[in-house]
Amino acid sequence: MTASPLLDAVQLIDRFRLSSWRIAFAESCTCGMAAAIVGGVPGASDVFCGSLVTYRESAKMDWLAVTPDTLRQFTAESQQTTDEMAVCVIRRTCEADWAAAITGHLGPGAPPAIDGRIFVSLARRVPADATDRLVSGREFVLKSVSRSERQLEAAQFLIHWVLTETAGEVETSVKA
């Protein structure tokens, strides 16, 4: 990851502008911090649709249609929930070509097995048939200890991860 979260955000905005893409986020544990970092880049509104901050399970269900079964079986801090968040946000944001989602347990009070673990997912709307598909997901263990440091690290990771995951798609988009 780069030392500056703003540097990755600038690169993300530039890449998406070059590819004529738009992106939306669904954030839980970062509580909108990834959106704040991306929104701090001049011209971000050219490509950034916005972010749904779904901190509580009820918001995940009401705003993003995450199923109660998923939350019950896998918990709100799981890859399965994050996958549903990414797919749901792209369905509900008609301008977005991409949707990235993040959940995790940043503590305090998390059981040691899940403390500091985050999950990210990326979905893409496929222009040919106007549907969406889950592109990838990943689990990551944060290195930071304090909650505020963890939120920043998680937001940085999400932005950097989207930048990395979309790198191979740029050539395809530009050629089309």
Side-chain angles (χ1 to χ4, degrees), residues 45-72:
S45 62
D46 293 344
V47 302
F48 184 53
C49 298
S51 183
L52 285 169
V53 177
T54 56
Y55 207 63
R56 296 179 49 80
E57 286 186 13
S58 60
K60 288 175 179 65
M61 290 185 294
D62 294 344
W63 298 356
L64 293 172
V66 172
T67 67
D69 287 343
T70 298
L71 293 168
R72 190 172 28 262

Side-chain angles (χ1 to χ4, degrees), residues 138-157:
R138 179 162 176 216
E139 178 180 351
F140 182 75
V141 179
L142 300 172
K143 295 177 180 136
S144 305
V145 177
S146 78
R147 182 171 183 78
S148 60
E149 289 172 342
R150 283 180 170 181
Q151 279 187 313
L152 179 58
E153 183 183 357
Q156 287 177 292
F157 180 79

Side-chain angles (χ1 to χ4, degrees), residues 1 8 12 15 122 138 157-169:
M1 244 182 326
D8 275 344
L12 183 74
R15 172 173 300 152
L122 186 65
R138 179 162 176 216
F157 180 79
L158 178 65
I159 295 164
H160 184 78
W161 181 76
V162 170
L163 193 58
T164 302
E165 291 295 304
T166 59
E169 301 287 332

